[in-house]
Amino acid sequence: MTSCSVGQDKKFNILNNDIINTDVLSSIPTEKVSYNKKVRPILDNRCVVCHGCYDAPCQLKLSSMEGIKRGATKEVVYDGARITAVPPTRLEVDHKSTKQWRDNKFFPIVNEGPVERVEDNLENSLLYKFLQLKQIYPQPRSGLISYEIDTSISREQYCTEREDFDDFASKHKALGMPFAMPNLTHDEFFTLGHWIAQGSHGDDSKDEDQSTLSQIRKFEKFLNNKDLKHRLVARYIYEHLFLGHIHFKNDKFKNFYRLVRSNTAKGEIEENTAIRPYDDPKQEIYYRFKIYTPSIVAKSHNVYELSDRKLERFKDLFIRQKYAVTKFPSYQAELASNPFKTFIEIPIKSKYQFLLDDARFFIEGFIKGPVCRGQIALNVIEDRFWVFFTDPNNTGFSSSDKLLTHLDKYLDLPAAKESSFEFISLWSKYWSQQKAYLTERNKHFVKLPKTSLDGAMNYIWDGDTHNPNAALTIFRHLDSASVRQGLIGTKPDTTWVLNYPIFERIHYLLVAGFNVYGNVSHQLKTRIYMDFLRMEGEEIFLSFLPPMQRKEMHTKWFGGNRNHLKFFSNEDLTWLNKEFVQGYKKEDKERELLENLSKRVARAIRSTHNKIPKELAKIELMQGEFFKFFPETIFLKVDNNVFTLVHNKTYRHVDSFLSDAKDRELEDIKNDTLTVVSGIEGTYPNLFIDVPSEKLSKFIFDMAKIVSEKDYNEFISKYGIRRTQSNFWKYSDWFFNKYKSIEPKRAGILDLNRYN
């Protein structure tokens, strides 16, 4: 519960807090304080903004009563140096009782002891004590936050228990809640104080729509059909949707569900405790939909919609196709972690089209999955790039059943093993397999017939002219990322073209196979393997260029300082000489290719147009060293409209081995830009800015004048919302409410852990 503030010492201190206690106790209402109407909104808007995911300080998740009852722990989830994996601590899964959590080193934050006096609930509540500490020692209401306050993501966590709180508070008066943000208002503090004094009771249960329950029965019947084809298909679907927040179309209560493997067929759902979705459940399981009751947190909220139409789509893709399933595959790790072997009997076109139908969801999986801190996957990618997909009806790029049946032995993934002591030998195995796969893939590529530039576009999926997933823009915000449909911004530094083998491996590497509780070996292997998947996607894009330009860009993208993997690779590069696409007319071949790709998907993505005012569009034309002062993600309020300014950094070391890409050279920094995005982009705002439309020209003029950190600070003082300002929460609430009004299904509570 790392929570910080700075203020002037009072004549009393936390060790003598009777004044605040008396005020709270003397005003307790006789009726119960409503948890759902009064308490939950305060917790969501003031506490869950930092305590809502795996990376919540002290694993304290305040997004549900289950999280409040579980409490906090000194044990950390994110530890890049641990030698052995640690037991998982998933709410409502790994332990079912408070006693079990206490036995697993979690300590209470609300009173669990006997209550002889109402005061006992306050005195024995760690949550109340942290709120009270902030009331006694508030932070400044203007200017910069004190240098004594560490707001970095890697800050030390003070996970003190109730018995040690007085000693802790005497040494750390600045660590009250909310962390490094303005105090709660008088009414907010007293509402929470009264609720805690009354016993901290609450219920997160939700009403359910009968029509939705009827749909759930249809899907569960489909997924639990006992014939071999249905069993295999159900396993495939589950292993891809297990982390999604499932929304059933037309649900009047707008609930979300999770698809789980339950040990029970009916009645109460008993979720199987296997860590990965393809781990052996050790018993018969049933696929069931479990209602999601915690508050929706944006950084882990990935929506997948089900409907009668989607059920028919599943049947068309997987059941009505003519193919035979001869056996149900084993859950043995070496097999189960390789989807090309496990699901070899399902046609590739069916699996690939399933992924393409909802490509944004599956790409967001590795961003909004268990990796709340995404350095493992994200420091191998550029700050902004475009993604296209090969056409499922054209198997020219290594996506045929025949070819992958021959090559599946080369596509094992690192998640199969987690031994630290075998890292080098295991990695040698995986890289040798990867190199062999690339060699075979290249042999296939060089046999492709020559084609015109127009003809080459037939290799690219056009979204069936209506699906906006045909092209995606991925934004990297240092250690987090976001995905948007369509092609946003100016020409990016790199572009990916994904085929089925790459797409499937990304999912099984970073979502299905990633264990957030795993050891350093698991994380390293995952990190390096993602490098190769990125390179594969970029190489397919390069293959559409003439050989000369292809070689130049290949050297630029993968050579020099960025060729850190040379000691692993010596990849077969004969494919660089293959003349594949002819008919280029412009000098800038890359731009011409991107123009043709954009035309190919234009009809499908027409609804994703990024509408921004002409004045704001001028920002995208700016470039320079001064952008180094700007944070990753800025939420901009212009009258009643919201835009996001995304900082695009240039890296020559973006994929440096084990690097987090913080160190950049001057030549890189000079090429920094900002992309202006309509609406909310990203879930970790670093800064709020408020500019009336009539002052936009002056705002951009002042931005262009920045040449020093002093200039930047003056700019922020004029336009930005500092975390010390008394109106900070007003802006935080405005952006969240605007997010909900723009994207009611996709919106969730924004995370303020990275606010500058």
Side-chain angles (χ1 to χ4, degrees):
M1 289 173 292
T2 309
S3 305
C4 303
S5 61
V6 175
Q8 301 296 318
D9 286 359
K10 308 293 183 182
K11 292 182 180 179
F12 56 93
N13 59 41
I14 193 67
L15 304 178
N16 181 19
N17 51 40
D18 290 341
I19 295 177
I20 291 182
N21 278 352
T22 300
D23 287 346
V24 171
L25 291 168
S26 64
S27 58
I28 296 177
T30 55
E31 69 277 7
K32 289 288 185 182
V33 176
S34 171
Y35 166 76
N36 290 302
K37 293 181 180 179
K38 298 289 186 179
V39 174
R40 176 45 55 194
I42 299 173
L43 292 175
D44 285 348
N45 295 320
R46 303 293 178 263
C47 305
V48 178
V49 290
C50 290
H51 289 273
C53 191
Y54 287 99
D55 63 346
C58 309
Q59 292 195 55
L60 175 58
K61 292 181 68 174
L62 297 174
S63 53
S64 68
M65 278 305 302
E66 287 298 318
I68 293 171
K69 291 176 182 177
R70 180 180 72 168
T73 180
K74 295 181 172 67
E75 304 298 314
V76 297
V77 172
Y78 291 96
D79 182 356
R82 61 179 167 233
I83 302 301
T84 59
V86 296
T89 52
R90 297 163 296 176
L91 271 172
E92 300 185 29
V93 178
D94 296 307
H95 296 305
K96 302 297 193 298
S97 69
T98 301
K99 181 181 183 303
Q100 289 176 321
W101 287 118
R102 299 294 168 262
D103 292 340
N104 198 28
K105 300 181 180 180
F106 277 78
F107 51 84
I109 63 163
V110 294
N111 185 32
E112 291 181 343
V115 181
E116 297 180 2
R117 307 167 303 153
V118 176
E119 292 93 317
D120 294 337
N121 285 325
L122 295 181
E123 293 173 2
N124 293 323
S125 171
L126 196 57
L127 176 61
Y128 177 72
K129 288 181 179 293
F130 270 97
L131 295 171
Q132 184 188 49
L133 180 61
K134 187 60 172 280
Q135 293 297 112
I136 297 172
Y137 299 103
Q139 68 185 26
R141 292 178 173 83
S142 63
L144 295 172
I145 198 166
S146 170
Y147 69 91
E148 298 176 0
I149 306 304
D150 182 5
T151 59
S152 68
I153 189 174
S154 58
R155 63 183 178 268
E156 182 179 359
Q157 296 188 18
Y158 297 95
C159 305
T160 184
E161 299 187 43
R162 182 185 60 78
E163 294 79 6
D164 304 319
F165 184 81
D166 287 346
D167 179 60
F168 162 83
S170 66
K171 298 175 182 176
H172 304 286
K173 297 181 177 65
L175 301 187
M177 288 181 69
F179 169 71
M181 296 293 183
N183 287 45
L184 299 180
T185 65
H186 176 277
D187 288 346
E188 289 169 340
F189 174 75
F190 273 72
T191 296
L192 293 184
H194 292 157
W195 174 69
I196 292 169
Q198 291 178 347
S200 308
H201 300 298
D203 182 2
D204 290 313
S205 62
K206 297 181 177 181
D207 293 330
E208 297 185 73
D209 185 357
Q210 289 302 314
S211 64
T212 295
L213 293 176
S214 177
Q215 276 196 319
I216 285 175
R217 287 190 289 270
K218 292 180 186 177
F219 273 93
E220 289 185 348
K221 181 180 180 181
F222 170 76
L223 293 169
N224 292 300
N225 190 309
K226 295 303 181 183
D227 77 71
L228 268 179
K229 180 180 278 192
H230 278 85
R231 286 182 65 201
L232 185 63
V233 167
R235 177 171 168 177
Y236 183 80
I237 291 174
Y238 166 73
E239 290 184 11
H240 288 78
L241 302 187
F242 74 102
L243 275 184
H245 286 171
I246 309 297
H247 172 73
F248 286 89
K249 192 174 182 179
N250 300 322
D251 186 329
K252 69 178 181 181
F253 294 117
K254 300 177 182 178
N255 288 325
F256 294 95
Y257 294 79
R258 290 176 51 241
L259 178 59
V260 303
R261 295 191 299 184
S262 174
N263 298 333
T264 55
K266 297 180 180 180
E268 184 178 353
I269 294 175
E270 182 183 311
E271 191 167 347
N272 192 273
T273 59
I275 295 178
R276 294 184 176 90
Y278 55 70
D279 284 346
D280 191 345
K282 306 293 187 183
Q283 64 182 81
E284 186 174 4
I285 53 93
Y286 307 88
Y287 297 107
R288 300 183 63 187
F289 290 90
K290 182 178 182 180
I291 189 167
Y292 186 78
T293 58
S295 301
I296 297 296
V297 177
K299 62 184 176 182
S300 58
H301 184 48
N302 196 10
V303 182
Y304 192 92
E305 186 170 273
L306 292 181
S307 62
D308 288 338
R309 184 177 180 181
K310 180 65 82 171
L311 181 57
E312 289 304 306
R313 178 63 166 169
F314 286 173
K315 292 176 180 178
D316 285 341
L317 288 176
F318 296 115
I319 304 301
R320 293 172 182 139
Q321 298 295 319
K322 293 183 179 180
Y323 64 96
V325 177
T326 58
K327 64 178 180 179
F328 190 75
S330 163
Y331 282 109
Q332 184 180 358
E334 287 78 3
L335 173 66
S337 63
N338 185 329
F340 306 101
K341 294 178 180 178
T342 306
F343 303 106
I344 190 172
E345 294 187 315
I346 300 177
I348 283 178
K349 184 178 177 181
S350 295
K351 293 179 289 190
Y352 190 25
Q353 190 64 64
F354 169 75
L355 297 176
L356 292 176
D357 281 355
D358 297 275
R360 181 184 187 180
F361 169 84
F362 293 112
I363 295 294
E364 279 195 331
F366 80 83
I367 291 168
K368 291 188 171 183
V371 194
C372 293
R373 296 188 185 181
Q375 296 96 323
I376 291 172
L378 301 179
N379 64 351
V380 306
I381 64 176
E382 297 286 348
D383 268 26
R384 179 179 60 86
F385 59 96
W386 294 343
V387 178
F388 300 91
F389 303 92
T390 60
D391 192 288
N393 296 305
N394 193 326
T395 60
F397 283 90
S398 309
S399 294
S400 71
D401 288 284
K402 182 179 180 180
L403 181 64
L404 281 188
T405 299
H406 172 62
L407 299 180
D408 62 12
K409 59 181 176 293
Y410 299 134
L411 298 177
D412 290 334
L413 291 161
K417 296 281 187 180
E418 277 201 37
S419 171
S420 299
F421 304 104
E422 298 177 352
F423 172 72
I424 298 299
S425 62
L426 282 175
W427 180 251
S428 297
K429 168 195 170 184
Y430 292 121
W431 173 237
S432 296
Q433 290 181 341
Q434 171 73 356
K435 190 160 61 172
Y437 167 72
L438 292 177
T439 299
E440 293 298 320
R441 183 204 67 177
N442 293 342
K443 290 179 182 178
H444 180 69
F445 170 68
V446 298
K447 293 178 181 178
L448 292 179
K450 294 179 182 179
T451 183
S452 66
L453 185 54
D454 286 342
M457 292 303 101
N458 292 323
Y459 287 95
I460 300 298
W461 183 51
D462 67 352
D464 302 318
T465 72
H466 69 272
N467 190 329
N469 288 291
L472 305 174
T473 300
I474 297 183
F475 297 94
R476 175 193 176 206
H477 318 285
L478 188 61
D479 57 3
S480 67
S482 58
V483 185
R484 179 165 288 218
Q485 292 170 330
L487 302 173
I488 310 299
T490 56
K491 183 177 81 71
D493 286 341
T494 62
T495 300
W496 295 10
V497 175
L498 300 186
N499 61 6
Y500 170 69
I502 302 174
F503 204 167
E504 193 75 278
R505 278 180 291 163
I506 288 178
H507 177 78
Y508 273 84
L509 178 74
L510 298 176
V511 184
F514 185 77
N515 178 13
V516 71
Y517 303 97
N519 62 7
V520 62
S521 172
H522 172 61
Q523 296 182 42
L524 287 178
K525 288 183 294 186
T526 301
R527 162 66 177 77
I528 301 171
Y529 202 99
M530 182 57 198
D531 240 337
F532 298 130
L533 296 181
R534 170 190 61 80
M535 292 165 66
E536 276 193 64
E538 291 174 338
E539 286 182 348
I540 292 181
F541 171 78
L542 292 179
S543 68
F544 284 86
L545 292 170
M548 182 178 297
Q549 287 75 24
R550 186 189 307 161
K551 291 176 184 178
E552 290 174 356
M553 292 187 64
H554 188 270
T555 300
K556 177 184 175 183
W557 286 5
F558 307 130
N561 291 329
R562 303 182 78 171
N563 193 12
H564 69 282
L565 295 170
K566 191 172 182 179
F567 66 96
F568 275 138
S569 58
N570 297 317
E571 178 192 345
D572 171 23
L573 297 178
T574 55
W575 67 278
L576 288 175
N577 299 312
K578 160 72 176 181
E579 186 175 13
F580 173 46
V581 180
Q582 300 174 319
Y584 280 89
K585 300 176 182 178
K586 299 181 180 179
E587 183 176 349
D588 189 339
K589 306 295 191 293
E590 180 192 9
R591 187 175 296 276
E592 187 175 359
L593 173 57
L594 287 172
E595 289 172 354
N596 278 269
L597 289 170
S598 300
K599 291 178 183 177
R600 174 68 172 170
V601 300
R603 290 181 63 187
I605 67 171
R606 59 186 178 274
S607 63
T608 67
H609 181 60
N610 186 36
K611 298 178 182 178
I612 57 176
K614 291 183 179 179
E615 199 66 38
L616 273 181
K618 294 177 181 178
I619 293 177
E620 295 194 332
L621 302 177
M622 301 166 68
Q623 186 177 32
E625 184 180 348
F626 73 95
F627 278 137
K628 70 182 181 181
F629 302 114
F630 284 72
E632 306 295 324
T633 309
I634 299 172
F635 287 178
L636 174 64
K637 180 179 184 292
V638 181
D639 301 333
N640 194 42
N641 298 308
V642 61
F643 303 92
T644 303
L645 306 182
V646 181
H647 187 177
N648 305 312
K649 296 190 182 75
T650 300
Y651 298 97
R652 272 182 286 177
H653 298 282
V654 68
D655 53 359
S656 294
F657 186 52
L658 305 183
S659 166
D660 60 5
K662 289 181 180 177
D663 298 322
R664 297 191 298 146
E665 298 179 13
L666 181 60
E667 289 304 312
D668 296 330
I669 296 172
K670 286 181 178 179
N671 294 319
D672 282 6
T673 61
L674 293 181
T675 296
V676 184
V677 187
S678 176
I680 296 290
E681 190 61 39
T683 59
Y684 296 90
N686 303 123
L687 179 66
F688 299 147
I689 285 180
D690 183 6
V691 183
S693 55
E694 64 269 16
K695 294 185 178 181
L696 273 179
S697 295
K698 185 64 167 61
F699 169 74
I700 296 171
F701 178 77
D702 289 345
M703 180 186 290
K705 290 195 305 180
I706 296 173
V707 295
S708 67
E709 188 171 1
K710 179 176 179 293
D711 294 337
Y712 173 74
N713 284 328
E714 291 176 354
F715 176 80
I716 296 304
S717 295
K718 185 174 182 179
Y719 297 106
I721 310 301
R722 296 196 186 281
R723 65 195 306 153
T724 54
Q725 291 179 209
S726 58
N727 62 353
F728 174 86
W729 291 120
K730 181 188 81 171
Y731 282 97
S732 176
D733 293 344
W734 185 88
F735 282 108
F736 178 38
N737 290 329
K738 192 66 178 178
Y739 191 15
K740 289 189 290 185
S741 70
I742 297 172
E743 300 189 76
K745 292 178 184 176
R746 294 182 56 83
I749 299 167
L750 298 165
D751 192 291
L752 300 179
N753 267 305
R754 292 161 174 77
Y755 199 87
N756 287 134

